[in-house]
Amino acid sequence: MHRILIVILFFVLAANVSSFAQEKNNAPQSAPKKSSVHLHHHKHYRKITAHRHSKKNKADTAVVPRVERRYPTPGSSGEDLNYDWYRQRAFPNNEIDPNAYANALEQAKNLPVYEPSSKFTTQANSSWQQIGPYKIGGRVTAIATHPTDSNTFYVGGAAGGLWKTTDHGMTWRALTDNFSAISVGCITIDPSDANTIYLGMGECNSSSDSYPGNGLWRSTDAGNNWSLLGLSQTQYISKVIVSPTNRNTIWVCVPGPNADADSNRGIWKSTDFGATWNRSLLVRAGKGRFSTPVPAIDLVINPRDTNDLVAAMWQKVTSAGTSVYVPYNGLWRTRDGGADWNRIDTITGSGFVNGISYKRLSRISLLWTLNCLDSATPVLYAVTSKVDKDPITGYALAENFCALFKTNNPESGWKVMLDSSYRLPFLGNNIDSVDLFNRQGGYDNLIVGNPRQCNEIYIGGIDVIRSTDAGATWTNITNAYPHYFENDRTQHSDQHALAFTAGTNDLLNGQDGGVFNTRNFGATWSRIDGLPITMFYHLEPWYGGMANVADPMPIDSLKFFGGTQDNGTVGHGFTANTDWDWINRGDGGQAQSDPNNSNHIVTSLQLGKIFFRTTIDSLRPNLFSDNGNHDPSAKKWYEMLTIMRRRGITDSSEACAFIPPVVLDKQNGVDLYTGRTSIYRIKMNFTDPDSLTNIWKWSPQIAGAPGSPKLWYYGEVEAIALGARDNNGRPMIWTGTINNGGRNIWRTTLNESLPADSMPKWIRADVAGLPGLFPTWIRASLRDSMAAYVSFSGFNTDTAKGHIDSIGHLFRTLDGGKTWKSISGKNTAVGLPNAPVNAFVIDTLAEHGDSTKRGQCIIAAMDVGVFITTDGGNTWSQLGTGMPHLVVGTLTMYRNWLVAGTHGRSAWAIDVGGINAVSRGVTNEPIATNNFTITSVYPNPASSIIHVRLSATSPTTLELFDLKGVPLLHQQTNGATADILLPGNILTGTYILRAINSNGEPAEAKVQIVR
């Protein structure tokens, strides 16, 4: 359920490291000067002083080499999996080019806008409309409260931008939709002017989907207008401090991007109100040209002395097989405003490390607050995590709670106030428990104080714990784990932000589930709704739930469901709730539904656990799978113990993606396909769901390390598509995989002589024309067995093929994969932006029986918005208006509606009925009357032939669609009657018969087919 997400790739450690280094640059960031560094080793601490020299030391001026691609030791723990979100965008490098997103966004904004408005839509214009969720929530990274107005505060989303409320969350306003970055790292209000807001971009919670930012921004009018102050290459900013005595002095804490050799890390300082920036502290790991900058993760200022600051450095152990050795993590202090810095966590006898080697310290969070006993000597708190070996793999990946330390004088000594023996209840009882961080000390780790109560402090990890006696005793005030596993959504785990509103006991907490508040110190909590910041992985129409809605569909008839980051599977339209309902748990993955049975739906969790329902009369999530503990009378989710098992997640140790593909065969409603390093076919048994599920291995190992399906890093199946069928109804299967960091496309061959349940033959289908990037989505033609489309992620240079701009991110094959052609518009002014394509749809409704229009209308979801081509990919346009340029991770179309699931700004919908009209040559001019109708369809139900009568005699196109909108046949008629011979592979179910006359007027009727 919770996230143990690793994104930062590797830090280069020299073999025999024994020194610490620090750089100090006194020039602005745009033209930094380098200075040599002298190290003075003392018995009790290491003092570092920078001296200027006219002649520069060669080791200090050497250019740090770019880190080449590397992969972890085989056998990576499952915690490595979800960093694929970042890895696939950075590949083949370790980091995303800091300018790539901004450049792609600029390309996107320069494209023309395609507005599909016509008489065939349900509204006057075709702008995007946000459709929620508003009450589900999403990951919050920062909260800042107004110093005097308790109703005004700001909330930052992991990928949803900055939001402001002036009525305590009754209404919200997005402030940064026009920014060239969407991920918020921190928010700071100037203590001398509440209208001056600082915004550091780039989430710093070590999550794979922590999107890079683009520097430090400031507003001087409470968020209405913004200026970029610089530090644009930092990508991730964790803290901004404005001096309480001189607002011209600003400090910025920069962990920086995820590559080892980035030079933007450290503590930056401005003394001219942000006009120029000087680096005050940069700690380096290693020696000379092979040293690497260490991230700075936290910074605090002495409330009694604004020249006294302490910084926490965090060099993260991230990779399977990495030894527990991080000697550069720790605390550094300056007492002269940043001229000199001393390391204070390694002083002999200080007691800081609590019995563990300081080389095992991981992320540290800091609080410097007034001392109730001696306000002239403030107290400094440090919440530490430690690197432990994974109990399953033995690798150094777990970041558990180490201790809470407290001191009035860091150089003199620290006192342990709380150690790792403190446990939280898990699974809603006291049988099992976890430590405060539960292996996630790099993801959930914070400490804050009550500004009106000097002894009152709060630590955030999985839960929030509170002390009213300066750390002597503690109370769990969120109990998020027990609440969650008891199916109670009054709190959520994974805490990232805490803040009190002005002059009150109103505590706000932000975590993976949005924003909650308490006015009684955790006795009760309330969700603050209205923030559309849900992070979708996948969306699917609830086909059976919309089968009886007339065309064109109004927006309030939409029924969709899909998986979200740490907020489970959510559904819209399953109940009378006008918003979305939470219908299953965990990191919701793929969602699938049977077009012919509204009760049959399938969901999945992270790492591929699959659930299904045989009835939806009660969609209350069953957190304990299929045992019915909480509500035995409610119909339950049935868990398919399918194939893989890893730490109780699935049934064997075969590797799989964090969100593996799951595809239900919409033709028969029972065959389910999923992939790990092989493809598997599962036959669903909705009639007797408690019986054993039939499972077949449907491919050899086609992903990952050859012959080693258990090596978790080396790749997995990323995408699956079902294509054309043989006369026995068996579909051709296409798949995109990752192998040792490279990509492969595979497909089956159609062979009607094979027994029904035998593995088909697989062949490589990526012979020529594709980039060496991560495949994200694949779709195959249902009519032409040799035609398929595939999309790719990635921002950076493909070393084998040249720059991605010259290749593209979307491709088509017409010869079964022998050759592929880019349909991205390549490097043209009307081509797709140079950004990942995460999903796409081929609008077959726009073809209307015209074979020359097949594959011409394609809509692509990208990291910078949604784009459309109506000429097969030669030219592209922005689709519609009204939706900011967001990371759109999933896209699906049902009849006249296109629904986009964003990764950070919930779901959006646009009426695309006008696309179908424009694509078939119909003008947007309204027609006064429409007297064209289908007067009769008989027999109905039909089994082999349908007789159709029309209201007029004219050249007419007749088409038969399934409820997903997939065309199954088309034919022409010139008269008022026609006979339609049904194909032999059409199954029992409900279908749509559509007729379009020569004037473009449509008429439809529902047809029941019984076989």
Side-chain angles (χ1 to χ4, degrees):
M1 183 275 298
H2 62 273
R3 313 277 290 170
I4 308 176
L5 309 177
I6 308 298
V7 58
I8 309 174
L9 293 178
F10 299 99
F11 293 93
V12 179
L13 292 178
N16 296 305
V17 179
S18 61
S19 65
F20 302 91
Q22 173 257 345
E23 283 185 0
K24 179 182 176 184
N25 298 327
N26 293 309
Q29 183 196 20
S30 58
K33 297 179 181 178
K34 294 185 179 291
S35 61
S36 64
V37 176
H38 286 224
L39 304 182
H40 303 276
H41 300 285
H42 296 263
K43 179 178 180 181
H44 297 299
Y45 63 89
R46 293 179 174 91
K47 182 176 181 180
I48 297 176
T49 307
H51 299 287
R52 292 186 177 276
H53 292 274
S54 59
K55 186 176 181 179
K56 297 180 179 180
N57 184 286
K58 181 179 180 180
D60 295 315
T61 59
V63 177
V64 178
R66 187 173 185 83
V67 180
E68 297 179 359
R69 71 177 82 171
R70 296 185 306 280
Y71 302 104
T73 303
S76 297
S77 170
E79 284 75 17
D80 277 327
L81 291 181
N82 202 30
Y83 76 103
D84 276 354
W85 200 95
Y86 188 96
R87 179 174 64 130
Q88 66 180 230
R89 286 162 169 78
F91 186 83
N93 301 317
N94 285 344
E95 66 170 284
I96 297 173
D97 183 336
N99 298 312
Y101 184 86
N103 292 339
L105 184 62
E106 189 67 21
Q107 293 171 353
K109 291 180 177 179
N110 288 333
L111 288 176
V113 176
Y114 184 104
E115 295 191 52
S117 57
S118 81
K119 65 167 184 163
F120 296 98
T121 64
T122 60
Q123 54 195 49
N125 60 68
S126 287
S127 61
W128 287 94
Q129 302 177 62
Q130 183 123 54
I131 59 172
Y134 296 97
K135 297 181 180 180
I136 296 296
R139 193 163 75 241
V140 169
T141 57
I143 300 174
T145 56
H146 193 283
T148 60
D149 181 359
S150 62
N151 287 318
T152 296
F153 48 90
Y154 302 82
V155 171
L162 181 66
W163 296 79
K164 179 182 181 180
T165 180
T166 57
D167 53 14
H168 204 277
M170 296 295 292
T171 59
W172 292 91
R173 181 163 66 98
L175 301 181
T176 55
D177 279 354
N178 293 323
F179 276 30
S180 56
I182 54 173
S183 178
V184 172
C186 61
I187 313 165
T188 297
I189 299 176
D190 187 334
S192 63
D193 179 11
N195 287 323
T196 299
I197 316 297
Y198 290 86
L199 181 64
M201 304 303 287
E203 181 195 10
C204 303
N205 287 323
S206 186
S207 171
S208 78
D209 54 351
S210 295
Y211 219 94
N214 66 337
L216 179 66
W217 294 74
R218 180 175 62 208
S219 171
T220 57
D221 56 7
N224 294 318
N225 298 283
W226 294 87
S227 299
L228 180 63
L229 298 184
L231 302 176
S232 58
Q233 300 295 301
T234 58
Q235 297 198 58
Y236 298 91
I237 295 176
S238 60
K239 193 72 155 297
V240 174
I241 293 177
V242 180
S243 172
T245 59
N246 182 0
R247 66 185 309 224
N248 288 320
T249 299
I250 308 163
W251 299 85
V252 179
C253 182
V254 177
N258 304 310
D260 303 343
D262 179 73
S263 60
N264 295 288
R265 292 171 167 156
I267 304 299
W268 293 82
K269 180 182 180 181
S270 174
T271 57
D272 52 12
F273 201 50
T276 60
W277 294 92
N278 305 313
R279 178 142 45 202
S280 179
L281 173 66
L282 175 62
V283 176
R284 281 188 173 273
K287 293 181 178 180
R289 66 187 302 266
F290 295 106
S291 66
T292 57
V294 178
I297 190 61
D298 204 0
L299 180 69
V300 289
I301 190 169
N302 188 329
R304 294 302 189 201
D305 182 356
T306 57
N307 284 319
D308 191 1
L309 295 94
V310 173
M313 313 308 291
W314 179 35
Q315 180 187 13
K316 188 168 172 49
V317 173
T318 63
S319 307
T322 302
S323 63
V324 186
Y325 187 77
V326 281
Y328 304 97
N329 289 359
L331 303 180
W332 300 70
R333 184 181 189 182
T334 180
R335 293 186 176 185
D336 54 12
D340 299 310
W341 290 84
N342 306 323
R343 182 160 189 178
I344 60 174
D345 63 286
T346 57
I347 299 174
T348 303
S350 69
F352 184 78
V353 296
N354 191 31
I356 72 163
S357 168
Y358 71 88
K359 297 174 183 178
R360 288 177 56 200
L361 283 176
S362 188
R363 182 172 181 173
I364 303 172
S365 295
L366 300 170
L367 170 66
W368 217 338
T369 186
L370 294 178
N371 188 337
C372 286
L373 298 178
D374 180 10
S375 62
T377 308
V379 59
L380 176 65
Y381 295 92
V383 176
T384 61
S385 57
K386 61 179 178 175
V387 179
D388 287 336
K389 290 184 178 180
D390 186 299
I392 303 299
T393 66
Y395 295 130
L397 289 169
E399 294 173 281
N400 290 316
F401 180 72
C402 174
L404 168 67
F405 295 95
K406 174 183 177 181
T407 184
N408 292 327
N409 185 350
E411 284 87 349
S412 297
W414 297 79
K415 181 180 180 181
V416 176
M417 304 304 298
L418 188 68
D419 63 25
S420 57
S421 63
Y422 185 88
R423 311 296 289 178
L424 298 174
F426 182 61
L427 299 180
N429 53 61
N430 293 318
I431 298 173
D432 192 13
S433 63
V434 296
D435 71 47
L436 183 59
F437 292 158
N438 193 18
R439 304 163 50 85
Q440 298 183 187
Y443 185 63
D444 313 314
N445 187 330
L446 75 152
I447 180 171
V448 301
N450 187 335
R452 289 169 296 283
Q453 299 290 336
C454 54
N455 279 333
E456 188 175 315
I457 58 177
Y458 298 78
I459 297 176
I462 296 298
D463 276 313
V464 175
I465 59 174
R466 174 184 182 235
S467 174
T468 59
D469 50 16
T473 60
W474 294 87
T475 302
N476 187 345
I477 66 169
T478 51
N479 292 292
Y481 262 10
H483 285 184
Y484 186 94
F485 284 95
E486 289 171 2
N487 202 24
D488 181 350
R489 298 287 284 176
T490 59
Q491 251 303 338
H492 197 289
S493 61
D494 298 337
Q495 314 300 324
H496 304 299
L498 292 166
F500 280 95
T501 61
T504 71
N505 290 326
D506 182 19
L507 176 64
L508 307 171
N509 85 314
Q511 12 62 5
D512 281 12
V515 180
F516 291 76
N517 77 300
T518 180
R519 300 178 187 272
N520 50 20
F521 305 105
T524 58
W525 290 90
S526 300
R527 178 192 295 278
I528 296 179
D529 293 326
L531 281 171
I533 57 172
T534 304
M535 306 172 81
F536 275 99
Y537 288 121
H538 184 251
L539 271 174
E540 168 90 346
W542 181 30
Y543 296 111
M546 294 184 285
N548 297 316
V549 179
D551 277 332
M553 287 181 59
I555 193 170
D556 57 9
S557 295
L558 287 177
K559 302 178 188 296
F560 278 77
F561 70 125
T564 67
Q565 186 270 323
D566 214 18
N567 285 279
T569 301
V570 297
H572 178 61
F574 285 85
T575 69
N577 183 9
T578 57
D579 198 46
W580 295 63
D581 294 293
W582 184 57
I583 64 176
N584 209 355
R585 63 184 171 100
D587 282 279
Q590 303 279 312
Q592 297 287 307
S593 72
D594 184 351
N596 299 311
N597 192 318
S598 61
N599 284 308
H600 294 176
I601 61 175
V602 179
T603 65
S604 68
L605 305 187
Q606 72 271 32
L607 303 184
K609 180 177 281 188
I610 301 173
F611 298 85
F612 67 99
R613 302 281 299 206
T614 60
T615 178
I616 61 163
D617 61 348
S618 172
L619 273 175
R620 183 183 185 190
N622 188 332
L623 275 303
F624 289 92
S625 305
D626 60 356
N627 61 13
N629 280 349
H630 294 298
D631 187 358
S633 65
K635 298 300 185 291
K636 58 188 177 183
W637 286 100
Y638 293 92
E639 180 181 344
M640 285 192 291
L641 296 175
T642 50
I643 309 131
M644 325 300 137
R645 183 171 188 81
R646 176 171 177 74
R647 298 214 322 263
I649 291 178
T650 45
D651 286 342
S652 86
S653 57
E654 186 175 347
C656 67
F658 187 79
I659 304 294
V662 177
V663 176
L664 180 68
D665 189 334
K666 301 299 193 296
Q667 288 286 340
N668 61 33
V670 295
D671 281 338
L672 192 75
Y673 297 88
T674 189
R676 273 66 173 172
T677 57
S678 299
I679 302 292
Y680 291 84
R681 173 184 166 222
I682 306 164
K683 185 169 287 295
M684 310 285 295
N685 191 336
F686 291 101
T687 304
D688 185 11
D690 288 311
S691 66
L692 294 176
T693 304
N694 290 320
I695 304 172
W696 295 270
K697 189 172 183 179
W698 216 237
S699 80
Q701 184 188 337
I702 55 177
S708 302
K710 298 181 181 181
L711 301 188
W712 280 60
Y713 184 89
Y714 286 96
E716 61 282 318
V717 173
E718 296 285 336
I720 298 174
L722 305 185
R725 298 171 186 270
D726 62 22
N727 289 332
N728 294 325
R730 295 211 317 181
M732 178 183 285
I733 304 172
W734 294 72
T735 183
T737 69
I738 300 298
N739 298 70
N740 280 335
R743 58 96 191 104
N744 293 135
I745 307 299
W746 296 79
R747 69 170 175 87
T748 63
T749 59
L750 297 178
N751 186 346
E752 297 174 3
S753 65
L754 283 176
D757 296 327
S758 62
M759 181 191 300
K761 179 183 177 181
W762 289 82
I763 61 173
R764 286 282 296 273
D766 55 1
V767 178
L770 293 177
L773 301 173
F774 278 50
T776 57
W777 202 252
I778 192 164
R779 284 293 176 263
S781 171
L782 301 178
R783 295 168 292 200
D784 182 353
S785 63
M786 294 292 103
Y789 303 76
V790 64
S791 60
F792 292 91
S793 188
F795 275 110
N796 294 315
T797 300
D798 181 341
T799 55
K801 301 286 187 179
H803 200 272
I804 290 173
D805 261 353
S806 65
I807 305 169
H809 289 77
L810 187 59
F811 296 81
R812 177 182 64 208
T813 182
L814 298 176
D815 55 13
K818 293 180 180 179
T819 60
W820 293 83
K821 176 186 177 183
S822 173
I823 54 173
S824 306
K826 293 187 177 180
N827 193 22
T828 68
V830 288
L832 281 175
N834 181 26
V837 174
N838 304 310
F840 58 90
V841 296
I842 302 170
D843 186 4
T844 56
L845 295 177
E847 298 170 7
H848 290 273
D850 186 345
S851 61
T852 65
K853 294 181 179 179
R854 290 182 184 174
Q856 297 298 295
C857 186
I858 306 169
I859 306 171
M862 304 185 70
D863 275 18
V864 288
V866 179
F867 304 88
I868 184 172
T869 178
T870 57
D871 59 11
N874 292 318
T875 60
W876 289 85
S877 303
Q878 303 177 64
L879 177 59
T881 59
M883 181 172 69
H885 291 272
L886 305 171
V887 177
V888 182
T890 180
L891 197 67
T892 185
M893 189 167 66
Y894 184 80
R895 295 200 233 173
N896 58 301
W897 285 100
L898 182 76
V899 178
T902 72
H903 199 71
R905 281 294 301 272
S906 292
W908 298 69
I910 186 171
D911 190 332
V912 292
I915 295 177
N916 302 332
V918 172
S919 297
R920 63 172 176 262
V922 179
T923 67
N924 290 340
E925 295 298 322
I927 297 176
T929 60
N930 184 355
N931 297 317
F932 178 65
T933 61
I934 298 174
T935 58
S936 66
V937 177
Y938 62 95
N940 195 0
S943 60
S944 59
I945 193 168
I946 298 175
H947 305 287
V948 182
R949 290 186 177 178
L950 307 170
S951 62
T953 301
S954 66
T956 301
T957 299
L958 296 171
E959 298 169 318
L960 189 68
F961 295 85
D962 64 16
L963 293 178
K964 191 179 179 181
V966 174
L968 303 174
L969 61 82
H970 67 274
Q971 67 183 57
Q972 304 289 329
T973 181
N974 292 317
T977 62
D979 294 334
I980 298 176
L981 182 63
L982 298 174
N985 61 352
I986 291 184
L987 304 175
T988 296
T990 302
Y991 296 84
I992 303 297
L993 177 66
R994 177 175 295 171
I996 304 170
N997 67 11
S998 57
N999 293 324
E1001 297 173 310
E1004 289 186 353
K1006 287 187 178 179
V1007 178
Q1008 299 295 322
I1009 296 175
V1010 178
R1011 288 289 172 85

